[in-house]
Amino acid sequence: VPHATPLGFAGFLRTATRNPLEIWGTRAFKEPYIRGSWLGVPNIVINDPAGVRHCMVDNARNYVMQPLRQRLLRPLLRDGLLTAEGPLWRRTRKAIAPVFTPRHIAGFTDAMEVRSRRAADRLAEQEGTVTDAAHELTLLTFDILQATLFSDDIASEPEAFARSTQQFLGSMGRIDPLDLLGAPAFLPRLRRLKGRKSMLYFRGLIADTIARRRVQIERDPDGAPNDLLSLLVKADGLSSGEIEDNIITFIGAGHETTARSLTWTLYLLSQAPDERALVEAELDTLLPTLTDPNEWADKLVHTRAAFEEALRLYPPAPSLNRTALAADSTGGVDIPAGSTVLVMPWLIHRHEMLWDRPDHFIPSRFLPGNRESIDRFQYLPFGIGPRVCIGAGFALHEGVIALASLLRGLRFDYAGGAAPEVVQRITIQPLGGMPMRVSRR
Ligand code: HEM
């Protein structure tokens, strides 16, 4: 089992805070297992699908969320599903699972389509100019989230809400060197202190909205808007505080991730004219016949395949980090108790042993007929096992609807010259945005 490229203590600290993706040398994309250590804690990277299955599914009970990730996210997301553990996680998952059924997701289709069409109209007005597609898509997924979460009913201050959401998301991506060094929680993280006041305001707006909706549902259970908030209020056994934590979690886990996956899809299509032509031809032929956008995610197979292939090459959540409770082993590799186990879509999705031409954009891998032969332990954009993304169906549905709405009348060409630099700030994103020229087609 090879060891990770040694960067030295200072080098590792610098790289891990600047851009954790740079830690990985070429061997990380070739080997089934890689071993390293940080502050005396063994780190084991698992690229072998059988090892992924062992740690994430068969023996999942032995693996908990890594303390570093918890230290970073728990102060913000508190008891939300992403950062809950043990009995609290089990109870919350059970309460929230029915919220994301296909029937409920289908109920959000209109909101997704209307908001996407509005974004397409806004972008059409920018024809001929270079725009930051990353920013535009962040606005779009935020708009969709506001509509599907609260039906836009977020107190009386939508602009202040949008601003504090951006500050909240910014503080989510900030890794302080003290976190990496495992310093005690009472030592202030200067990088995050600034956002404290706006976080209180942000939470206050959400708490007020929940309280108002509760009253509305008590008065008239069937008259309340059809959105995630109503479903959460009606769900079994969630307190208002827990609903607040989970709404913040949905914003934290579901907004940037979806925006980034759409951004990378537009970029990849702009680099592959043949693939883009296939998507455009599909939209031109099928959209006039598919009047119900609920059918899009199933019928627009090229659009969906391009989206899924973009999730392979640029998985917005590049790393699933766990800590082993008891000693374990997989594939002949020992995993001591207390080790950090990293299952990294970023590495597995581009692994030489697992994919033909791993760095190429080949959406046909995900067309019906081919897709079935992809091992589900080597394609993990939404994670795997008991903690698999609860919003995966929602995100795939939204992704296809947004892409179809944008690409049916518009074309996006990358206008940044050299290829964008890929950085990890919680999600995988292009450094400095994604400049694209918009044209009508
Ligand atoms: C969990 C990715 C969209 C809510 C996860 C995990 C991944 C992921 C990889 C597992 C993390 C782990 O095991 O450590 C993505 C990607 C998305 C997306 C790539 C978009 C393209 C969404 C949306 C929502 C959402 C739209 C909600 C509206 C959650 C929640 C969890 C989660 C609550 C925690 C589940 C649990 O621990 O039980 N997501 N996600 N995600 N995601 Fe997503």
Side-chain angles (χ1 to χ4, degrees):
V1 178
H3 285 251
T5 324
L7 280 168
F9 186 79
F12 182 87
L13 199 59
R14 210 173 29 247
T15 311
T17 6
R18 199 192 88 82
N19 182 12
L21 295 181
E22 283 175 12
I23 290 168
W24 309 104
T26 49
R27 282 170 71 195
F29 298 87
K30 294 181 181 162
E31 307 287 349
Y33 295 92
I34 301 155
R35 231 180 6 213
S37 73
W38 175 245
L39 300 175
V41 177
N43 284 200
I44 293 136
V45 178
I46 301 191
N47 285 333
D48 174 13
V52 173
R53 180 190 176 121
H54 175 81
C55 295
M56 302 297 279
V57 177
D58 298 344
N59 201 17
R61 277 179 174 268
N62 189 44
Y63 295 90
V64 290
M65 293 298 172
Q66 183 207 21
L68 168 62
R69 173 187 184 273
Q70 295 294 84
R71 268 203 304 277
L72 288 173
L73 296 180
R74 244 192 102 76
L76 296 168
L77 309 180
R78 299 189 188 165
D79 285 342
L81 193 59
L82 192 68
T83 40
E85 291 272 24
L88 172 70
W89 171 78
R90 262 187 294 283
R91 180 169 64 75
T92 312
R93 181 100 196 182
K94 205 168 147 207
I96 295 185
V99 167
F100 286 96
T101 56
R103 187 170 64 86
H104 286 146
I105 293 171
F108 300 139
T109 301
D110 283 348
M112 290 174 177
E113 199 262 331
V114 169
R115 305 300 160 127
S116 303
R117 198 158 11 103
R118 238 187 252 168
D121 292 345
R122 202 177 54 233
L123 282 159
E125 284 166 20
Q126 300 178 34
E127 185 177 24
T129 63
V130 173
T131 186
D132 178 7
H135 177 67
E136 291 296 333
L137 293 165
T138 300
L139 294 180
L140 170 59
T141 58
F142 182 65
D143 201 18
I144 291 179
L145 207 62
Q146 284 212 90
T148 52
L149 262 177
F150 317 111
S151 311
D152 296 312
D153 172 29
I154 181 71
S156 48
E157 297 158 273
E159 274 165 28
F161 178 66
R163 228 181 5 259
S164 56
T165 304
Q166 287 317 316
Q167 273 160 353
F168 153 66
L169 291 169
S171 59
M172 246 182 92
R174 236 163 270 151
I175 303 179
D176 195 288
L178 287 181
D179 294 313
L180 291 171
L181 292 169
F186 63 81
L187 289 176
R189 280 19 178 200
L190 294 177
R191 290 186 181 202
R192 283 202 296 270
L193 268 182
K194 253 180 29 201
R196 255 200 164 135
K197 217 170 125 202
S198 91
M199 191 66 200
L200 280 176
Y201 176 74
F202 179 62
R203 277 194 169 267
L205 282 180
I206 293 173
D208 289 350
T209 310
I210 297 169
R212 262 186 297 125
R213 183 65 64 83
R214 259 201 201 288
V215 173
Q216 195 180 355
I217 288 178
E218 270 158 28
R219 279 200 202 124
D220 177 12
D222 300 325
N226 167 32
D227 54 23
L228 288 166
L229 175 57
S230 290
L231 293 169
L232 287 171
V233 169
K234 289 178 190 168
D236 257 352
L238 290 177
S239 68
S240 289
E242 287 166 348
I243 294 177
E244 183 183 313
D245 292 343
N246 280 296
I247 284 183
I248 290 174
T249 296
F250 294 171
I251 296 171
H255 159 52
E256 275 284 318
T257 41
T258 315
R260 293 298 69 83
S261 55
L262 290 168
T263 308
W264 289 114
T265 312
L266 291 189
Y267 168 71
L268 288 164
L269 286 172
S270 80
Q271 302 301 296
D274 292 352
E275 297 298 340
R276 183 164 72 184
L278 280 174
V279 170
E280 289 177 353
E282 170 174 87
L283 297 176
D284 295 347
T285 324
L286 288 185
L287 279 187
T289 67
L290 299 174
T291 43
D292 179 1
N294 261 318
E295 292 182 294
W296 292 4
D298 286 337
K299 300 272 170 63
L300 300 176
V301 292
H302 288 287
T303 312
R304 186 181 166 121
F307 186 59
E308 293 194 87
E309 175 71 340
L311 282 168
R312 181 183 73 82
L313 283 168
Y314 297 100
S319 183
L320 316 174
N321 305 0
R322 302 289 192 269
T323 292
L325 293 174
D328 192 11
S329 73
T330 183
V333 178
D334 285 336
I335 303 174
S339 319
T340 299
V341 166
L342 301 174
V343 170
M344 297 198 52
W346 173 249
L347 301 178
I348 296 174
H349 287 184
R350 291 175 183 247
H351 202 278
E352 273 186 8
M353 278 161 41
L354 302 174
W355 302 91
D356 169 38
R357 289 174 292 161
D359 292 329
H360 286 65
F361 177 59
I362 308 177
S364 59
R365 306 178 204 267
F366 290 94
L367 287 178
N370 297 339
R371 200 196 187 297
E372 295 72 14
S373 58
I374 297 174
D375 187 329
R376 67 190 183 97
F377 298 99
Q378 74 177 67
Y379 181 65
L380 320 156
F382 296 106
I384 190 104
R387 304 217 52 158
V388 68
C389 177
I390 204 156
F394 182 100
L396 280 169
H397 199 67
E398 175 180 354
V400 176
I401 289 181
L403 285 172
S405 309
L406 294 171
L407 300 177
R408 71 191 304 177
L410 297 174
R411 184 171 289 158
F412 295 82
D413 285 294
Y414 181 60
E421 190 185 334
V422 189
V423 292
Q424 180 185 355
R425 304 258 186 282
I426 299 271
T427 59
I428 285 196
Q429 41 188 282
L431 185 68
M434 183 68 83
M436 298 198 98
R437 188 175 300 283
V438 188
S439 50
R440 289 175 211 251
R441 64 174 191 92

